[in-house]
Amino acid sequence: MQFGLTDSQILTRNSAREFFSAEYPIAEVRRLCETETAHDIPLWRKTAEQGWCGMTIPEAYGGMGLDLVEVAAAMEEAGRTLVPGPLLAHLTATAAITACASEEHKQQLLPALATGDRIATLAVLEPNPSWDLAAVAVPACEGTKLFVMDAAVTDYIVTLTRDGVFLVDSRGDGVTLTPMPALDTSRKLSAVNYRNAPGLQLATDNSAVQRALDIGTTLLCAEMTGAMQRMLDITVSYVKTRKQFGKPVGAFQLVQALCADMLVATESARSATYFAAYALEQNLPEAQSAVSVAKSYIADAARLTGNNAIQAHGGMGFTWENDIHLYYRRAKAFETAFGDAVFHRERIAQLAL
Amino acid sequence: MDLNLSPSELGFRDGLRQWLADNLSPHWQADFAKIEGKQAQFEYLRAWQRKVYDGGWAGIAWPKEFGGRGASIIEQVIFTEEMARAGAPNLPGVLGLQLVGPTTITHGTEAQKEQFLRKILSGEEIWCQGFSEPNAGSDLAALRTTATLDGDHFVVNGQKVWTSYGWAADWCELVVRTDPDAPKHKGLTVLLVDMKSPGVDVRPLRQMTGETEFNELFFTDVRVPVANVLGKVNDGWNVAIGTLMHERATLGAGIQIVIRRSFERIVELAKSIGKFTDPITRQKLAQCYADIEVMRLNQMRAYSRMANGGTPGPEGSIQKIFWSELNQRFQQIAQEIMGPYGQLTKGSEYSIDDGIWTYNYLRARGNTIEAGTSEIQRLILGHFVLGLPKSY
C-alpha cells in the first residue's frame, strides 16, 4: 500500500508546477481577471502545446491520457497559481464527451479538443439550479442554462437536456450568451439561451455524464487544494515578517493557531482529493461517495482557510492589493460549483450510509 | 499511488484474521462482563496478551532479534485495524509494547534488553509511564521529581499524575530531574523503576467518567539502581521525546476503526428509530462520515510517508487534532440522535446500548487533552512544521 504520488506522477506534478508558475505569474492572472473573458489566446496555445488541455483525453484521440491522480496533481499546481480561463471547464467537457459520445463522435471531436484548437464547456444548471442530473428539464435545445463556465471563449457547449446530451456551437444560430458577472473574476460565467439551436446529439440520456461531473468535481477539489496551500504559504511568510509589539505577529499563539488550522485543513483536503481521484481512476465501488467526501469537506475547509488567511493578514488582508482575496473569491465560487456541501452530504447519505 | 495491499501485506492480514478466528472467543465480551473486580478483569486481559504472544503477534514492530517480527509500518497499521475490527480485547501491556519496549530497544543496555523485553511481550510484566506532573503537563520539561545519586543508586522524590495502568504496573518508565542547575531540557534522566520498591505509593485518580483509568504516583526516597538508567544520565529529554513521537504516530489507527464501528452503530440506531429520514440528521451523519474518511485518508498518507523512511514527526499533531476533535463532534451528534435517552447510564432498563454513549460522550471530552492538548498540538505545528517562532 502506498498513498502518495509515484515517480511518474511526481514528474507530471513538477512539470505542471514549473509551467504554471512560470506562465501564470500573479500579475498576469490579475491582468486576465480584469479582462472580459479571463482568457488569453497565446497563453492558451502555450498551455495546449504542453498537452495540459488534453490531459483527460485518451491517447487514442490525441490526448495525454493521464491517469486521474496525475491530472489531479497537475490541477493542484494550476490551482496554486490560480490559472484563469477555461482549463477546468474544458477538461470537464472533454471528460463528458469521452464518457458519453459514440466512437465516431469521439474520433471526430476529441483530437481538436486535445490540442486545444477547439475549446468546450459543459452546461448543466438551469434557472432552478440543481446538480442532480434527474433535475435537467430543458428540451433540446431550447431554453436557458445558467452559470456555464467560460462559455464565451469556447467553441462548443456540451449541453444536458431532457432529450440527452447535445454538442452545441457556442457561436451558432439560436445561441445567445449573456455574461453573469460573479465574484470569482478568474472564471467568467455565462447565461446561455437556446432558441431552436441546432446541436449534435452525443447521447440519448445524461447518465453517462455523471462520471464527467465526478471528474470535474475532483479536479476542482485539486485546484482548491493548491489554492489552499498557496493561501497558507502566503500567510505564513507574511506573519513571519510583519511585526507588532516588537516581534513577528507569527510569534503570537492565536496567530499560530490560525495557521495550524489552515495546515490541518489543507493537508486534509489533499488526502480527500487524491483518494477521490484514485477511486475514480480505479473505478472503486466507493468512488462517488469519495468524490462527495472531498467536495463537502473542502467546501468548508477552503472557506476556513480563506477566512484565517485574511484574518492573519489584518487590514492588509482586506485590501485589493493583497492577493489573498483572489483566492478567497475562488474558494467561495468553489462552494457551489458542482454541488454544494449540502448536496454532496445528501449524496453521501444515499450512497454510503 | 496504490492503495491495494501487496501480496505479502495480504498474507500478513489473512494470517492474522485466521489466527483471530481460531483464538478469539466470539463471546469473550459476555465472559469478560461476568468477571468481578478490576484485578481479575486485568488477569483475563493479561492471559489474552499471553495468547497473542504465544501466537507470535505481540510487539510485531520490534526487530526479530528482540522477539518481534520486524513488521513494516503498514503491517502495524493492518494489525491495529484488524484487532479493532475483530473487537479483540485491549492488550494490557500496551505501554510496554508500543512505548517502553521500542525506547529500550533504541537506548537500553544489553542487560536491560535481556531483563525486560521478553516479559513486556508476554505481558508477564506491565509497564506504566511516569511523565506528567501536577505542574508539568504540556511543559513536560519543567518536571520537578528529583533523583539524587547516592552510591550506586538514585534516590527519587516527587509526584507523577495521569499514569495509565499505574495500579497494575510492575515497572515504570520514569522521567526525573538529575541536574537541577542545567537548563530544563538538559537535566533530565529516564529511570526504569520497580513499582514494588519501598516508597512508591500508587493512588487512584477518579475521572469525570467515574472510572479510575489513571493514577497518581508518589515517590518518597525510592532507591533505583544506577544500572536502571535508560540512555544516558541527563539525556532523558531525548529518550522520552522519542517515546512520545511513537505514541502520537501509532495511536490513531485503532481509534479510526473504533470510531467507524461506533458511527455505523449510530447510523443503524438512527434508522431504527426513524431519525434517518430527518434531513438535518442526514446532513450531520454524512458530515461525520466525511470527517471519518478524511481522518482515515490522512492516516494512510502519514503511514505511507513513514513507510518510505520517514520517522514519526511533528505532523503527527495533525492526526491528533483531527481525531480528537472529530470524536467530540461525533459524540455530540450521537447524543442528538438519541435525545433524552442519551443521558441514561449503565444499568437503566431504558438506556441505549447499556449507557455506553453516556460514557463515550464524557470520555471524548478528554481526547483533546490527553497525549498533548489541542492547543499545544497547534503550537507544535506552528513552530516545527510551519517554521513560526517558538511561542512557549
Side-chain angles (χ1 to χ4, degrees):
Chain A
M1 193 212 77
Q2 175 56 37
F3 192 145
L5 300 182
T6 61
D7 288 346
S8 84
Q9 289 161 350
I10 289 172
L11 274 179
T12 303
R13 185 199 63 194
N14 290 350
S15 62
R17 179 175 298 181
E18 214 171 292
F19 176 78
F20 290 121
S21 61
E23 300 299 333
Y24 292 85
I26 197 72
E28 176 68 358
V29 171
R30 278 176 171 273
R31 183 186 73 77
L32 287 168
C33 287
E34 304 273 335
T35 65
E36 205 174 304
T37 58
H39 178 58
D40 181 86
I41 292 166
L43 199 48
W44 175 262
R45 290 289 347 136
K46 232 177 193 174
T47 308
E49 278 158 21
Q50 300 290 317
W52 302 120
C53 303
M55 272 190 282
T56 52
I57 296 174
E59 281 176 293
Y61 308 106
M64 287 222 278
L66 298 184
D67 77 68
L68 288 171
V69 173
E70 268 176 299
V71 180
M75 288 307 280
E76 183 181 339
E77 297 307 321
R80 191 194 291 266
T81 58
L82 215 62
V83 167
L87 181 60
L88 185 103
H90 181 75
L91 292 175
T92 309
T94 53
I97 296 169
T98 306
C100 79
S102 68
E103 182 59 32
E104 187 195 345
H105 286 152
K106 285 195 261 196
Q107 300 266 13
Q108 181 189 331
L109 296 167
L110 289 175
L113 291 163
T115 56
D117 292 332
R118 293 283 180 275
I119 307 177
T121 189
L122 182 66
V124 180
L125 296 183
E126 297 173 9
N128 184 11
S130 166
W131 287 93
D132 182 352
L133 289 178
V136 169
V138 302
C141 284
E142 192 68 46
T144 303
K145 290 283 183 182
L146 297 182
F147 308 101
V148 183
M149 285 180 187
D150 301 292
V153 303
T154 61
D155 302 283
Y156 306 126
I157 301 172
V158 178
T159 305
L160 305 193
T161 75
R162 69 181 186 207
D163 303 313
V165 184
F166 286 81
L167 187 82
V168 176
D169 184 342
S170 313
R171 286 177 279 270
D173 292 341
V175 176
T176 315
L177 303 185
T178 313
M180 298 177 81
L183 89 174
D184 179 11
T185 53
S186 68
R187 199 168 267 157
K188 310 296 185 187
L189 302 176
S190 287
V192 183
N193 193 265
Y194 305 82
R195 191 171 294 169
N196 196 18
L200 174 67
Q201 186 162 26
L202 298 177
T204 51
D205 78 288
N206 296 319
S207 58
V209 176
Q210 185 59 54
R211 182 171 169 82
L213 290 185
D214 285 323
I215 290 172
T217 307
T218 302
L219 299 186
L220 195 73
C221 288
E223 266 193 345
M224 200 64 241
T225 300
M228 290 166 76
Q229 182 68 54
R230 184 70 189 135
M231 285 194 272
L232 174 61
D233 293 345
I234 292 172
T235 303
V236 167
S237 98
Y238 180 78
V239 301
K240 278 178 183 170
T241 50
R242 164 74 176 171
K243 284 190 175 157
Q244 288 289 275
F245 304 101
K247 51 181 162 183
V249 294
F252 297 113
Q253 298 195 340
L254 289 175
V255 175
Q256 291 202 5
L258 290 175
C259 297
D261 284 336
M262 293 168 76
L263 174 69
V264 173
T266 304
E267 289 298 339
S268 301
R270 190 168 282 128
S271 302
T273 295
Y274 283 95
F275 180 64
Y278 174 82
L280 279 173
E281 178 66 31
Q282 303 284 321
N283 283 312
L284 300 186
E286 67 265 41
Q288 294 199 343
S289 75
V291 171
S292 288
V293 163
K295 184 62 169 63
S296 62
Y297 176 82
I298 298 174
D300 293 339
R303 188 173 58 248
L304 175 139
T305 302
N307 280 330
N308 286 14
I310 290 178
Q311 189 67 28
H313 275 78
M316 272 309 293
F318 193 65
T319 62
W320 186 264
E321 168 197 347
N322 193 289
D323 295 331
I324 292 286
H325 76 97
L326 302 173
Y327 290 88
Y328 192 75
R329 288 161 179 271
R330 177 69 75 88
K332 194 67 194 165
F334 170 90
E335 281 190 49
T336 57
F338 295 95
D340 63 10
V342 172
F343 173 86
H344 281 281
R345 285 186 199 121
E346 176 55 31
R347 198 163 81 130
I348 290 169
Q350 286 171 20
L351 293 171
L353 302 188
Chain B
M1 193 161 164
D2 179 6
L3 302 187
N4 296 309
L5 297 180
S6 71
S8 81
E9 289 162 350
L10 273 175
F12 178 87
R13 189 197 66 184
D14 293 344
L16 178 57
R17 282 189 178 170
Q18 188 57 50
W19 185 85
L20 280 167
D22 294 343
N23 288 278
L24 179 62
S25 159
H27 45 82
W28 80 267
Q29 275 154 324
D31 297 347
F32 186 75
K34 285 187 209 122
I35 303 172
E36 301 261 338
K38 203 169 172 179
Q39 194 61 45
Q41 288 182 337
F42 191 82
E43 289 311 320
Y44 179 96
L45 297 177
R46 195 202 291 267
W48 165 247
Q49 180 167 338
R50 177 73 204 200
K51 215 169 182 181
V52 171
Y53 169 70
D54 289 338
W57 297 101
I60 52 162
W62 297 18
K64 290 200 175 97
E65 53 181 311
F66 301 114
R69 292 186 172 217
S72 70
I73 183 84
I74 303 301
E75 287 169 335
Q76 293 171 54
V77 172
I78 293 170
F79 177 81
T80 310
E81 289 188 352
E82 288 298 322
M83 293 298 252
R85 194 166 283 131
N90 292 326
L91 298 177
V94 59
L95 294 175
L97 292 169
Q98 293 197 3
L99 307 172
V100 182
T103 312
T104 303
I105 289 168
T106 308
H107 298 281
T109 63
E110 288 313 307
Q112 287 167 347
K113 291 174 188 169
E114 185 65 30
Q115 183 183 353
F116 296 122
L117 292 179
R118 284 278 166 194
K119 290 176 178 173
I120 287 176
L121 288 175
S122 66
E124 189 179 338
E125 288 181 345
I126 299 300
W127 283 75
C128 65
Q129 276 182 296
F131 280 37
S132 297
E133 296 182 3
N135 289 306
S138 295
D139 187 9
L140 182 60
L143 62 88
R144 290 184 201 165
T145 295
T146 58
T148 45
L149 197 58
D150 177 24
D152 56 359
H153 281 71
F154 278 103
V155 181
V156 178
N157 282 284
Q159 181 189 353
K160 295 288 176 179
V161 72
W162 313 120
T163 311
S164 305
Y165 295 104
W167 59 277
D170 302 288
W171 289 88
C172 178
E173 182 192 355
L174 186 71
V175 191
V176 295
R177 185 164 302 284
T178 37
D179 183 353
D181 301 322
K184 66 179 180 179
H185 293 82
K186 304 280 184 191
L188 303 177
T189 299
V190 174
L191 297 177
L192 306 176
V193 181
D194 185 342
M195 292 290 279
K196 289 180 287 295
S197 308
V200 177
D201 182 17
V202 182
R203 296 182 201 166
L205 182 70
R206 199 164 185 212
Q207 301 153 225
M208 64 184 276
T209 52
E211 56 181 351
T212 49
E213 195 182 344
F214 302 118
N215 293 94
E216 291 180 290
L217 307 181
F218 293 83
F219 297 86
T220 311
D221 294 330
V222 176
R223 296 183 68 80
V224 181
V226 168
N228 285 13
V229 170
L230 184 60
K232 295 195 188 81
V233 173
N234 294 333
D235 190 36
W237 181 254
N238 288 327
V239 176
I241 208 74
T243 304
L244 288 180
M245 290 295 187
H246 276 281
E247 184 177 13
R248 272 175 213 151
T250 51
L251 210 59
I255 290 166
Q256 189 262 122
I257 300 291
V258 170
I259 295 179
R260 182 173 293 264
R261 284 167 57 97
S262 202
F263 175 77
E264 284 163 3
R265 170 70 189 133
I266 211 74
V267 170
E268 181 186 277
L269 210 62
K271 286 178 178 170
S272 73
I273 58 176
K275 286 224 175 166
F276 194 64
T277 50
D278 166 40
I280 296 174
T281 302
R282 287 169 77 81
Q283 284 287 312
K284 287 183 176 178
L285 285 172
Q287 181 164 24
C288 196
Y289 173 87
D291 284 348
I292 295 170
E293 270 296 278
V294 171
M295 170 187 178
R296 176 178 77 93
L297 300 167
N298 277 342
Q299 286 183 358
M300 284 170 82
R301 269 180 71 215
Y303 298 139
S304 294
R305 267 200 306 272
M306 283 161 70
N308 287 345
T311 47
E315 307 82 13
S317 293
I318 293 176
Q319 325 299 338
K320 174 66 206 338
I321 291 170
F322 204 99
W323 74 254
S324 59
E325 297 183 357
L326 157 63
N327 196 34
Q328 290 176 355
R329 290 195 298 275
F330 167 52
Q331 296 305 333
Q332 171 59 22
I333 293 165
Q335 287 289 321
E336 288 173 17
I337 287 170
M338 287 179 284
Y341 291 96
Q343 67 193 309
L344 298 177
T345 54
K346 193 177 172 67
S348 165
E349 62 172 305
Y350 295 102
S351 71
I352 295 171
D353 299 337
D354 200 21
I356 189 69
W357 297 99
T358 320
Y359 169 80
N360 286 347
Y361 179 76
L362 294 175
R363 185 63 189 82
R365 193 57 282 255
N367 291 161
T368 50
I369 300 167
E370 62 196 311
T373 64
S374 287
E375 289 70 32
I376 200 74
Q377 305 292 358
R378 285 182 166 82
L379 299 180
I380 289 170
L381 291 177
H383 179 58
F384 291 100
V385 179
L386 297 176
L388 298 172
K390 193 160 184 184
S391 64
Y392 52 92

